[in-house]
Amino acid sequence: MKPTLSSAKARAALLQELEHALRRSSAQGVIFGQTVANVAGISGSDLECLDFLNLEGRVTAGRLAEVTGLTTGAITGVVDRLEKAGLVRRERDESDRRKVFIALVPENVAKIGKYYEHMQRSMMAVFGAYTDAELKLLLRFASQGYTTMLAATEQLKAMIEAAPKQKRASRPKKPARRS
């Protein structure tokens, strides 16, 4: 059955409302994170990488690059800054000394974690209003959203990398000088 014009309009309006709500939530999350980062004396992106380490546990720089979509070179800088701030440490693998893991310094990370406690309590109250089926839907949505954002990050990096090449290729050649 083909949707009626009014149901198509209603769906378009609902999708726009959802997009706006997600954008507001995302923007507020960025502002919240930046506020915490400012207090912690690190950058917002370094704080986000620290959160990935919280989620992933002890990982290699390669794994951190994989889950963030950043290059291994960028991750090296992140880890250097987080290590200098006392939030992580590098640990050599006991069985393969060439392999280095990035591990959290729990007592220092806990100092940052206190800034999230009230938000976590509030979110748990919000989640408590949903049924298990609704929570599974939200989990699927959030997981698909992460995968989509990771792919979009890769596409953005490729687009940015291609831009200088396109500029060079599209520039008109300078006329030869006449002597």
Side-chain angles (χ1 to χ4, degrees), residues 163-173:
K165 294 175 190 171
Q166 289 173 349
K167 283 182 183 177
R168 284 192 298 267
S170 65
R171 281 189 198 143
K173 293 187 179 181

Side-chain angles (χ1 to χ4, degrees), residues 50-134:
L50 186 66
D51 195 28
F52 274 106
L53 285 167
N54 264 311
L55 295 168
E56 293 286 315
R58 184 175 176 252
V59 296
T60 63
R63 174 64 182 157
L64 188 56
E66 186 180 309
V67 298
T68 61
L70 297 173
T71 65
T72 53
I75 290 297
T76 298
V78 168
V79 173
D80 287 347
R81 291 186 298 274
L82 291 175
E83 190 173 43
K84 185 177 179 184
L87 298 167
V88 302
R89 66 177 156 259
R90 289 175 168 96
E91 298 177 345
R92 294 226 177 258
D93 186 334
E94 292 301 318
S95 60
D96 181 355
R97 301 290 293 161
R98 295 169 297 176
K99 194 180 227 180
V100 177
F101 288 97
I102 299 132
L104 296 172
V105 177
E107 59 275 11
N108 293 340
V109 173
K111 293 173 188 173
I112 294 173
K114 70 181 181 181
Y115 296 110
Y116 288 91
E117 290 172 359
H118 70 284
M119 180 185 61
Q120 288 172 327
R121 282 191 302 273
S122 296
M123 290 307 300
M124 292 310 282
V126 170
F127 295 153
Y130 292 101
T131 66
D132 287 354
E134 290 170 325

